[in-house]
Amino acid sequence: DVQLQASGGGLVQAGGSLRLSCAASGITFEQHTIGWIRQAPGKEREDVSAICNSDGATYYADSVKHRATISNDNAKNTVYLQLDSLKPEDTAVYYCAAISGSAMDWLVTARGGYDFDYWGQGTQVTVSS
């Protein structure tokens, strides 16, 4: 049974930090790229960040670049997203999503609106002014 469990969201004041986690099970972790998609009310989904677990290649959207750090832990089959200097516009539900392929494959899937291989439940990030 494939599961992606997102956690770590919460309410934080602008300028604060959060660490999101995506724990994967039921997949060959090293053969997937796992990343984060966010969805805010009235807005289209946005790709945020991703990491390829085989070669370590990473991607960051311009909106979070220099404020986010994505990492992985193969022993725990978990991907982390550290978000710093949070802004109210970061408020959204953050979903983790996986694809069997490269970081580029993940990005093409995200930007093209295609189906990821696996989705997790979302974790709410709310940033107050």
Side-chain angles (χ1 to χ4, degrees):
D1 186 34
V2 176
Q3 283 190 297
L4 298 178
Q5 290 289 334
S7 62
L11 175 63
V12 64
Q13 190 174 346
S17 299
L18 286 172
R19 188 196 192 203
L20 308 184
S21 298
C22 178
S25 62
I27 64 171
T28 304
F29 188 76
E30 296 82 1
Q31 295 178 359
H32 287 76
T33 293
I34 298 178
W36 296 89
I37 303 291
R38 68 185 182 187
Q39 178 75 62
K43 297 182 180 179
E44 296 181 1
R45 76 177 193 179
E46 300 175 287
D47 51 280
V48 179
S49 185
I51 185 167
C52 178
N53 296 326
S54 63
D55 63 13
T58 58
Y59 160 76
Y60 297 98
D62 289 342
S63 59
V64 300
K65 200 169 186 178
H66 309 302
R67 301 189 296 118
T69 303
I70 194 165
S71 61
N72 57 12
D73 185 337
N74 283 69
K76 296 181 178 180
N77 283 6
T78 300
V79 169
Y80 304 97
L81 182 66
Q82 177 73 31
L83 296 170
D84 299 314
S85 301
L86 284 163
K87 306 173 181 180
E89 51 262 46
D90 294 319
T91 296
V93 177
Y94 285 68
Y95 301 90
C96 57
I99 190 170
S100 178
S102 68
M104 180 60 68
D105 293 331
W106 190 96
L107 181 59
V108 169
T109 298
R111 291 184 174 180
Y114 305 125
D115 290 334
F116 285 93
D117 292 335
Y118 306 107
W119 287 89
Q121 94 290 353
T123 185
Q124 176 72 49
V125 171
T126 303
V127 184
S128 63
S129 301

